Amino acid sequence: MKTETKQSCLKRLGRIEGQVRGVARMVEDDRYCIDVMTQISAIRAALKRVEEEVLKDHVAHCVEHAIVSGKKDEQRKKIAELMDVLGRLQN
């Protein structure tokens, strides 16, 4: 993973961690259910952005490296991994 991608992801994950702690406090404080759900939705959206950033980095480095290598087995492996993870991301 590129250094700037890693730093960006860690920064986002730190914010998400704070959001999760905030939701836990909301639940402890018996806050209004819709407010809790709104925060959970925001956390999911933030995680999705991290997921997209990691995926872009993977394609730009790991998949590209396999393509440039000219090794058919490695290319097939990386494409299969990519297709598998894309299938899981849709659920």
Side-chain angles (χ1 to χ4, degrees):
M1 187 177 289
K2 288 189 322 189
T3 303
E4 57 265 16
T5 302
K6 183 177 181 177
Q7 292 303 316
S8 174
C9 287
L10 288 172
K11 186 176 179 181
R12 286 178 188 269
L13 289 167
R15 285 194 300 262
I16 292 166
E17 183 180 14
Q19 285 178 292
V20 171
R21 281 194 305 271
V23 170
R25 282 191 303 275
M26 291 174 77
V27 170
E28 287 174 356
D29 296 343
D30 293 320
R31 296 278 300 273
Y32 186 55
C33 297
I34 298 301
D35 292 342
V36 173
M37 294 298 295
T38 299
Q39 291 305 309
I40 291 170
S41 179
I43 292 166
R44 245 194 324 252
L47 280 171
K48 180 95 175 130
R49 287 190 296 276
V50 172
E51 183 179 78
E52 290 168 357
E53 196 168 357
V54 171
L55 181 60
K56 284 179 188 177
D57 188 80
H58 176 68
V59 170
H61 292 93
C62 301
V63 175
E64 182 180 341
H65 176 71
I67 292 168
V68 171
S69 76
K71 298 176 183 173
K72 297 289 184 199
D73 288 343
E74 188 66 21
Q75 292 168 352
R76 286 185 185 100
K77 179 182 172 189
K78 292 299 178 192
I79 296 300
E81 286 175 348
L82 184 59
M83 295 305 294
D84 181 54
V85 78
L86 289 174
R88 285 185 276 143
L89 294 179
Q90 292 178 348
N91 295 328

